[in-house]
Amino acid sequence: MELDRIAAFSDAIFGIVITILVLQFAVPVLHHPQSISELANALISLLPKLASWFISIVIICKFWINHYYIFKLARKANFALVWINCFFLMSQSFIPFPTALMGEYYQNPLAVSLFGVVMAWNTVMYILLHEYINRNLIKSEFKNAQDPHIIKKSFIGVFSYLLGAGVAWINIYAGFIIFLLTPLLFIVPPKLRTEENEEQGV
Amino acid sequence: MELDRIAAFSDAIFGIVITILVLQFAVPVLHHPQSISELANALISLLPKLASWFISIVIICKFWINHYYIFKLARKANFALVWINCFFLMSQSFIPFPTALMGEYYQNPLAVSLFGVVMAWNTVMYILLHEYINRNLIKSEFKNAQDPHIIKKSFIGVFSYLLGAGVAWINIYAGFIIFLLTPLLFIVPPKLRTEENEEQGV
Amino acid sequence: MELDRIAAFSDAIFGIVITILVLQFAVPVLHHPQSISELANALISLLPKLASWFISIVIICKFWINHYYIFKLARKANFALVWINCFFLMSQSFIPFPTALMGEYYQNPLAVSLFGVVMAWNTVMYILLHEYINRNLIKSEFKNAQDPHIIKKSFIGVFSYLLGAGVAWINIYAGFIIFLLTPLLFIVPPKLRTEENEEQGV
Amino acid sequence: MELDRIAAFSDAIFGIVITILVLQFAVPVLHHPQSISELANALISLLPKLASWFISIVIICKFWINHYYIFKLARKANFALVWINCFFLMSQSFIPFPTALMGEYYQNPLAVSLFGVVMAWNTVMYILLHEYINRNLIKSEFKNAQDPHIIKKSFIGVFSYLLGAGVAWINIYAGFIIFLLTPLLFIVPPKLRTEENEEQGV
């Protein structure tokens, strides 16, 4: 199978997931449609949903960028890669549910920690994909170009999401903040040490 | 018409179907938004939906991979292919409804068997597409490259989904398991016996 | 602007419209979740929705194929084309609403005729796009390749949808049938009389 | 990263946003399903939603065309561009909510002005993207090709949306009209003064 078509398929799914996240914002029901204060209160009560939506999109964008990065490492695709990718995308496509749940029940630690668990799970699926490419499909020029501890370092993301999930039982806002900070750790995929980069002293 | 554009259009539809399946997970309504046990119970009651969602995505991913495979066999597209493909994609786009129905009414054999019937129908549409390409549009190098019984073997999928639909009237869980096992039978499209493969002794 | 990117954008919208049509099938609410007869009745009452959904997808697929055809006639894109195409796609993206309305209130002639009016409107937008390409952007090799009455003939579609919209006030089922038959008139875009075809005696 | 893939990803999101806007049109609930007058009244009460939907799509199409234009100016992509683009797309993906809100509560100045604020915000994100490309990634042949006041002129859009948001508190219909007129100011991206154009006297 061609890497390009799988990448395009993945991009479509990332794009749809990002876009349908907005569907969790239902138009509030007002008893007095023209009441400014009632609508203002209804909109203020949507702020936790907005926070949940924002964190979720930042995380998905980060997954999209990193997914792009590991697909560039692969020299070809095989059926194992396609299926691991399918399970990764399936996990991505699930994200709107815990996002909406956390937005609705932001005061419920179970809802907040479920969000963290789903994101940790997604990171594990991503690591699996990365590790499979590293072991079986890596382009020869990238064989030694990656940080040898890259996979271990990726587990920091898993633990960070689980930490947020745990902390939510003590302080919910701390959980939110950890969820938001985690993608920032990986906001840019690690540099590859190719010969070209070394020559330029990068 | 160009095969590439039809394939891209098909991919978009596969991707959207996979992603909107998550919309069946509505945020549960809690009487006590902060109650952990109430939310836990609500989430546990979503497990049948999760199973239905998972089975459905595995099946759609399998269709996507096999669709890719048969489009590679074709040397060009014509309007008959486009229309058969449209009817196949239409059938794929219907999948979210029986999936949501089976997830909601997993104890109702009619809901479970409808899922099987829809999947059997989709497999028939897929076979039609495959057979049409084999008869009219096959690339010369693939003329004898396929298993001569490939179409007959594909009907195993049809019968397996119908078997699951029938078994659901006796035991619902057995129906679920048959639905999940069926795509595994076809998880990798059959190898093509091209000259290149033969030389390599594959 | 590049024709390819506009075509890909259009394809994405066609694909999403086709796929979200399924969202009109809400899971029915059963008083006895395990009742087979209650579910069977609920499913039977969805049949008008199924008919509406089917007619709508056939029509959209036909628009997609014909859209492909007229874009092949154009030698380049300009901003007027982009905007006419945007208004055409906007009209396509509206289709799920009259489709759901006709499926729900199939016994209400107003709902049925609204469907016809929206489809007539979409056909007008399509003709506008076709006519604009013919007048301003046509490839030199296709200048005389089209049936000179092609635009007039396309108005048959407009009148046919409006006929269905009118007939629905007398007999609703006749309206449905006219809606379904209309795309069949244009199921395959007209052949182009290129020199190559003439040589082959096509 | 490749500009083409980011552009395709962006297009997918624009396309999905445009298409899911239709989901705000819920099928009305009729007490007498066959009543023509009841359905007619229900449809007439949807007209403000139709206006809101129309304005929103025109604005998004305009963003899509201008996004295309500024991506053509860039010679390559970097991670900063990708992230600014992600925040821009995130802002685009939010549009369905204020659109639905304005359609539902068109008589509530808060709902109408929220729409204007969100559009002003989107324009600011767009300007950020444009300015970033101009400063860091511009193709050498376009360095002096743009109107030197282009960024300042883009702020006219921001102020115009905010003007509409303000005017809505006095007259709601005037707000609607300003929202609709604003994209018309930028309906076609500004011409580039390349050497080729100058030679042709354009």
Side-chain angles (χ1 to χ4, degrees):
Chain A
M1 291 191 73
E2 293 152 40
L3 278 167
D4 275 358
R5 189 165 165 194
I6 305 169
F9 181 65
S10 308
D11 278 11
I13 288 182
F14 284 117
I16 305 158
V17 173
I18 286 171
T19 321
I20 66 173
L21 278 171
V22 78
L23 297 179
Q24 72 186 284
F25 294 98
V27 172
V29 178
L30 302 185
H31 297 100
H32 305 283
Q34 300 188 32
S35 165
I36 290 157
S37 62
E38 194 185 355
L39 181 55
N41 286 331
L43 291 177
I44 287 165
S45 71
L46 288 176
L47 287 181
K49 282 198 181 176
L50 195 73
S52 180
W53 171 86
F54 177 76
I55 294 170
S56 204
I57 291 192
V58 171
I59 293 173
I60 297 168
C61 286
K62 189 224 55 167
F63 273 119
W64 173 62
I65 292 170
N66 284 293
H67 184 268
Y68 181 93
Y69 165 79
I70 58 173
F71 261 63
K72 293 274 274 191
L73 300 175
R75 65 176 193 279
K76 61 157 194 162
N78 62 16
F79 285 116
L81 179 76
V82 170
W83 275 106
I84 298 170
N85 194 47
C86 279
F87 283 105
F88 169 69
L89 294 174
M90 181 193 293
S91 310
Q92 288 286 309
S93 80
F94 188 65
I95 290 175
F97 176 64
T99 303
L101 200 75
M102 183 167 83
E104 183 73 34
Y105 299 119
Y106 63 99
Q107 291 174 302
N108 194 317
L110 181 56
V112 180
S113 64
L114 182 74
F115 183 89
V117 169
V118 169
M119 290 309 181
W121 167 263
N122 270 280
T123 310
V124 169
M125 294 305 298
Y126 168 79
I127 292 172
L128 222 78
L129 200 58
H130 191 173
E131 179 69 2
Y132 184 82
I133 289 171
N134 276 356
R135 290 209 185 179
N136 302 287
L137 300 172
I138 193 119
K139 278 179 191 154
S140 55
E141 69 261 40
F142 292 141
K143 272 224 167 94
N144 299 307
Q146 290 183 83
D147 178 346
H149 303 296
I150 181 88
I151 296 292
K152 273 184 216 155
K153 284 182 183 167
S154 296
F155 274 102
I156 297 171
V158 180
F159 291 123
S160 182
Y161 285 126
L162 292 178
L163 179 72
V167 162
W169 294 87
I170 301 159
N171 185 311
I172 281 161
Y173 301 101
F176 267 70
I177 288 165
I178 292 171
F179 294 154
L180 184 57
L181 292 180
T182 308
L184 303 186
L185 296 174
F186 304 95
I187 205 151
V188 171
K191 267 244 159 70
L192 291 169
R193 287 174 309 191
T194 58
E195 282 170 25
E196 199 188 322
N197 281 347
E198 275 165 25
E199 273 167 28
Q200 295 169 0
V202 179
Chain B
M1 291 192 73
E2 293 152 42
L3 278 168
D4 276 357
R5 190 166 165 192
I6 305 169
F9 181 65
S10 309
D11 277 11
I13 289 183
F14 284 118
I16 305 159
V17 173
I18 286 172
T19 320
I20 65 172
L21 278 171
V22 78
L23 296 180
Q24 73 186 283
F25 294 99
V27 171
V29 179
L30 302 185
H31 297 101
H32 305 284
Q34 300 188 31
S35 164
I36 290 157
S37 61
E38 194 185 355
L39 180 56
N41 286 331
L43 291 176
I44 287 165
S45 72
L46 288 177
L47 288 181
K49 282 199 181 176
L50 195 73
S52 180
W53 171 86
F54 177 77
I55 293 170
S56 204
I57 291 193
V58 171
I59 292 173
I60 297 168
C61 285
K62 190 223 55 165
F63 273 118
W64 173 62
I65 293 170
N66 284 292
H67 184 268
Y68 182 92
Y69 165 80
I70 58 174
F71 261 63
K72 295 273 273 191
L73 299 175
R75 65 176 193 279
K76 60 157 194 161
N78 62 15
F79 285 116
L81 179 76
V82 170
W83 275 106
I84 298 171
N85 194 47
C86 279
F87 283 105
F88 169 69
L89 292 174
M90 181 193 292
S91 310
Q92 289 286 309
S93 80
F94 188 66
I95 290 176
F97 176 63
T99 303
L101 200 75
M102 182 167 85
E104 182 74 33
Y105 299 119
Y106 63 99
Q107 290 174 303
N108 195 317
L110 181 56
V112 179
S113 63
L114 183 73
F115 182 89
V117 169
V118 168
M119 290 309 182
W121 168 263
N122 269 279
T123 311
V124 169
M125 294 305 297
Y126 168 81
I127 292 171
L128 222 77
L129 199 59
H130 191 173
E131 179 70 0
Y132 184 81
I133 290 172
N134 275 356
R135 290 209 185 179
N136 302 288
L137 300 171
I138 193 121
K139 278 178 189 154
S140 56
E141 69 262 40
F142 291 141
K143 274 228 166 88
N144 299 307
Q146 291 183 84
D147 177 345
H149 302 296
I150 182 87
I151 296 293
K152 274 184 215 156
K153 284 182 184 168
S154 295
F155 273 103
I156 296 171
V158 180
F159 291 123
S160 183
Y161 286 125
L162 292 178
L163 180 71
V167 162
W169 293 87
I170 301 159
N171 185 312
I172 281 161
Y173 301 101
F176 266 70
I177 288 166
I178 292 172
F179 294 154
L180 184 57
L181 293 180
T182 308
L184 303 185
L185 295 174
F186 304 95
I187 204 150
V188 171
K191 267 246 158 69
L192 292 169
R193 286 173 310 189
T194 58
E195 281 170 26
E196 199 189 322
N197 281 346
E198 275 165 25
E199 273 168 28
Q200 294 169 2
V202 179
Chain C
M1 292 192 74
E2 294 151 41
L3 277 168
D4 276 357
R5 189 164 165 194
I6 305 169
F9 182 65
S10 309
D11 277 12
I13 289 183
F14 284 118
I16 304 159
V17 174
I18 286 172
T19 320
I20 65 173
L21 278 170
V22 77
L23 296 180
Q24 72 186 283
F25 294 99
V27 171
V29 178
L30 301 186
H31 297 101
H32 304 283
Q34 299 188 32
S35 164
I36 290 158
S37 62
E38 195 184 355
L39 180 56
N41 286 331
L43 291 176
I44 287 165
S45 72
L46 288 176
L47 287 181
K49 281 198 181 177
L50 196 73
S52 180
W53 171 86
F54 177 77
I55 293 170
S56 204
I57 291 192
V58 170
I59 293 173
I60 298 169
C61 285
K62 189 224 55 166
F63 274 117
W64 173 62
I65 293 170
N66 283 292
H67 184 268
Y68 182 92
Y69 164 80
I70 57 173
F71 261 62
K72 295 272 275 191
L73 299 176
R75 65 177 193 280
K76 61 157 194 161
N78 61 17
F79 285 116
L81 179 76
V82 170
W83 275 107
I84 299 171
N85 194 47
C86 279
F87 284 105
F88 169 69
L89 293 174
M90 181 193 293
S91 311
Q92 289 285 308
S93 80
F94 188 67
I95 290 175
F97 176 64
T99 304
L101 200 76
M102 182 168 83
E104 182 72 34
Y105 299 119
Y106 64 98
Q107 290 173 304
N108 194 318
L110 180 56
V112 179
S113 63
L114 183 73
F115 183 89
V117 170
V118 169
M119 291 309 181
W121 168 263
N122 269 279
T123 310
V124 169
M125 295 304 297
Y126 168 80
I127 292 172
L128 221 76
L129 199 59
H130 192 172
E131 179 68 1
Y132 183 82
I133 290 172
N134 276 356
R135 290 209 184 179
N136 302 287
L137 301 170
I138 193 122
K139 279 179 189 155
S140 56
E141 69 260 42
F142 291 141
K143 271 219 169 99
N144 299 307
Q146 291 182 84
D147 178 344
H149 303 297
I150 182 88
I151 296 293
K152 273 184 217 157
K153 283 182 184 168
S154 295
F155 274 102
I156 297 172
V158 180
F159 292 122
S160 183
Y161 286 126
L162 292 178
L163 180 71
V167 162
W169 294 87
I170 301 158
N171 185 310
I172 281 160
Y173 302 101
F176 267 69
I177 288 166
I178 292 172
F179 294 153
L180 184 57
L181 293 179
T182 308
L184 303 186
L185 296 175
F186 303 96
I187 205 150
V188 171
K191 265 241 160 71
L192 292 168
R193 286 172 310 188
T194 58
E195 282 172 24
E196 199 187 323
N197 282 347
E198 274 165 24
E199 272 167 28
Q200 293 169 3
V202 179
Chain D
M1 292 192 73
E2 293 153 41
L3 278 167
D4 276 357
R5 189 164 165 194
I6 304 169
F9 181 65
S10 309
D11 278 12
I13 288 183
F14 285 117
I16 304 159
V17 173
I18 286 171
T19 322
I20 66 172
L21 278 171
V22 77
L23 297 179
Q24 72 187 283
F25 295 98
V27 171
V29 179
L30 301 185
H31 297 101
H32 305 282
Q34 299 187 32
S35 164
I36 290 158
S37 62
E38 194 185 354
L39 180 56
N41 286 330
L43 291 177
I44 287 165
S45 71
L46 287 177
L47 288 181
K49 282 198 181 177
L50 196 72
S52 180
W53 170 86
F54 177 76
I55 294 170
S56 204
I57 291 192
V58 170
I59 293 174
I60 298 168
C61 285
K62 189 224 54 166
F63 274 118
W64 172 62
I65 292 169
N66 283 293
H67 184 268
Y68 182 91
Y69 164 78
I70 58 173
F71 262 62
K72 295 273 274 192
L73 300 176
R75 64 176 194 279
K76 61 158 193 161
N78 62 15
F79 285 115
L81 179 76
V82 170
W83 274 106
I84 297 170
N85 194 48
C86 279
F87 283 104
F88 170 69
L89 293 173
M90 181 193 293
S91 310
Q92 289 285 308
S93 80
F94 188 67
I95 290 175
F97 176 64
T99 304
L101 199 76
M102 182 167 83
E104 183 73 34
Y105 298 120
Y106 63 99
Q107 290 174 304
N108 194 316
L110 181 56
V112 179
S113 64
L114 183 73
F115 183 88
V117 170
V118 169
M119 290 310 181
W121 168 263
N122 270 279
T123 310
V124 169
M125 295 304 298
Y126 167 80
I127 292 172
L128 222 78
L129 200 58
H130 192 172
E131 178 69 1
Y132 184 82
I133 290 171
N134 276 355
R135 290 207 185 182
N136 302 288
L137 300 171
I138 192 121
K139 279 179 190 155
S140 55
E141 69 260 41
F142 291 141
K143 270 218 170 101
N144 299 305
Q146 291 183 84
D147 178 346
H149 302 297
I150 181 89
I151 296 293
K152 274 184 217 157
K153 284 184 184 167
S154 295
F155 274 102
I156 297 171
V158 180
F159 293 122
S160 183
Y161 287 126
L162 292 178
L163 180 72
V167 162
W169 293 86
I170 302 158
N171 186 310
I172 281 160
Y173 302 101
F176 266 72
I177 288 166
I178 292 172
F179 294 154
L180 184 57
L181 293 180
T182 307
L184 303 186
L185 296 174
F186 304 96
I187 205 150
V188 170
K191 266 239 160 72
L192 291 168
R193 287 173 309 188
T194 58
E195 282 170 24
E196 198 188 321
N197 281 347
E198 276 165 23
E199 273 168 27
Q200 294 169 3
V202 178

